[in-house]
Amino acid sequence: MSITVSLYVENHVLYVNLNGELDHHTSDQLRSRLNTVMGESQIKHIVFNLKHLDFMDSSGIGIILGRYNQLKSMNGTVMVIGMKPLVSKVFELSGLSKIIKVIEDDSQLESAIRGIA
Amino acid sequence: MNNEMHLQFPAKSINESFARLVIIGFIAPLDPNAQELNEIKTIVSEGVTNAIIHGYEDNEDGIIDVKAVLVGRRLRVTIQDFGKGIENIELAKQPLYTTKQEEERSGLGFMIMESFSDQFEVHSEVGVGTIVSFEKEFLPLDSSAQ
Ligand SMILES: Nc1ncnc2c1ncn2[C@@H]1O[C@H](COP(=O)(O)OP(=O)(O)OP(=O)(O)O)[C@@H](O)[C@H]1O
Ligand SMILES: [Mg+2]
């Protein structure tokens, strides 16, 4: 099992689409992709789209929390959209939902983006 | 159904998904529900990851040993490394305790393993290695629809 990462940037928001499984191995791959993009463009907010993420363990929590800490210092935010129930269980257990905005679907995304832009 | 298996592989991060696949295959005859499958996958993933990054500190020559025993619908798994060991297990099990903050670890692995299993134990000796073991009883088939 691997991960497919697709990224795009719009108005200083980095959209990260994840497809597959996020563990220690694949989070290292993801981290270097994110670092490259964040070095090249001015990123203020990140939206992780987890609609197609089938598995996540504490390594996934670590990478999301890491980006949150990185952006917090410049008043940026991290949002997570479309989590499957099994993924959201680890997310809830870790307490991440207390500090990271969780969005159910695309219809809520637009207003959430307007809120931070 | 009673069954057992023994798996050994080098401490390469690519083997995290391999270990998850093996344990899923091993318990497949029990027809676990999606939540049970995910919990088992997660516990094994946490244990193997800890062996790689903490036990062997990314030295890929290390060997990780996974054993599983099935008695009826009760699964017992041990994940063992022969790495550096844990000095203070009670402290290590505290949520948010991590010795690898700089690698974006958040100290949640043990807490997740504990809450996803029926029984969870850690044995370790500094310089010798670490064994984590867990047990989980699968729901009877007729109630597995939740
Ligand atoms: N196999 C191991 N060998 C040596 N030390 C370990 C091992 N497993 C865990 N530890 C120690 O216990 C601590 C807590 O482990 P735990 O899995 O809870 O958190 P983590 O791995 O640091 O972070 P996370 O799991 O959230 O990515 C680790 O930081 C490490 O110091
Ligand atoms: Mg861990």
Side-chain angles (χ1 to χ4, degrees):
Chain A
M1 256 304 176
S2 58
I3 199 157
T4 309
V5 180
S6 59
L7 305 172
Y8 93 102
V9 180
E10 192 181 85
N11 295 330
H12 305 294
V13 181
L14 170 59
Y15 295 86
V16 183
N17 251 286
L18 301 181
N19 195 314
E21 305 204 327
L22 189 53
D23 62 9
H24 160 236
H25 182 74
T26 58
S27 69
D28 279 353
Q29 294 172 250
L30 174 60
R31 186 174 290 108
S32 69
R33 294 278 308 271
L34 293 182
N35 285 341
T36 305
V37 177
M38 294 174 81
E40 284 166 354
S41 6
Q42 279 251 2
I43 305 295
K44 186 144 188 229
H45 310 289
I46 300 182
V47 178
F48 286 97
N49 188 329
L50 305 187
K51 223 182 298 178
H52 301 289
L53 190 71
D54 299 315
F55 175 84
M56 178 172 85
D57 63 17
S58 65
S59 300
I61 299 295
I63 197 164
I64 295 173
L65 198 58
R67 286 335 98 211
Y68 169 84
N69 288 328
Q70 208 175 344
L71 296 177
K72 192 176 54 176
S73 55
M74 35 191 277
N75 293 319
T77 54
V78 171
M79 291 189 257
V80 166
I81 178 168
M83 259 190 297
K84 294 185 179 183
L86 294 176
V87 169
S88 105
K89 227 187 139 187
V90 169
F91 200 86
E92 294 293 330
L93 206 55
S94 69
L96 220 56
S97 47
K98 292 193 200 98
I99 53 170
I100 286 179
K101 192 173 170 66
V102 177
I103 300 167
E104 303 291 325
D105 56 47
D106 292 334
S107 63
Q108 297 173 333
L109 179 61
E110 278 173 45
S111 64
I113 293 291
R114 272 199 303 276
I116 55 175
Chain B
M1 191 189 68
N2 298 350
N3 199 5
E4 48 193 270
M5 70 102 180
H6 186 179
L7 177 72
Q8 280 191 330
F9 52 86
K12 299 176 191 288
S13 64
I14 190 93
N15 286 330
E16 292 155 4
S17 59
F18 170 63
R20 292 197 298 272
L21 278 175
V22 169
I23 197 72
I24 287 312
F26 182 69
I27 59 175
L30 299 183
D31 210 5
N33 65 43
Q35 184 180 330
E36 290 169 330
L37 280 173
N38 186 61
E39 289 176 350
I40 299 293
K41 273 173 82 172
T42 308
I43 304 170
V44 168
S45 200
E46 297 291 351
V48 169
T49 301
N50 278 352
I52 292 172
I53 60 180
H54 303 300
Y56 293 120
E57 298 196 290
D58 299 307
N59 176 357
E60 298 188 342
D61 295 334
I63 292 293
I64 298 172
D65 185 303
V66 179
K67 291 195 184 85
V69 176
L70 208 49
V71 179
R73 292 185 71 77
R74 192 164 186 87
L75 173 72
R76 180 180 167 82
V77 178
T78 61
I79 302 164
Q80 180 169 15
D81 68 63
F82 309 90
K84 73 170 196 178
I86 303 173
E87 237 173 74
N88 184 337
I89 295 176
E90 282 320 302
L91 182 64
K93 282 166 94 175
Q94 296 288 317
L96 305 182
Y97 176 85
T98 181
T99 48
K100 293 238 188 279
Q101 193 125 38
E102 73 288 352
E103 291 179 23
E104 298 191 341
R105 293 282 134 201
S106 24
L108 294 169
F110 279 152
M111 186 269 281
I112 292 173
M113 286 188 261
E114 195 144 28
S115 57
F116 280 177
S117 55
D118 296 342
Q119 209 189 311
F120 177 71
E121 278 170 43
V122 182
H123 296 275
S124 190
E125 203 177 316
V126 173
V128 177
T130 300
I131 305 182
V132 301
S133 58
F134 70 91
E135 293 189 25
K136 194 167 175 76
E137 177 102 22
F138 294 93
L139 289 175
L141 268 186
D142 51 348
S143 67
S144 61
Q146 305 168 32

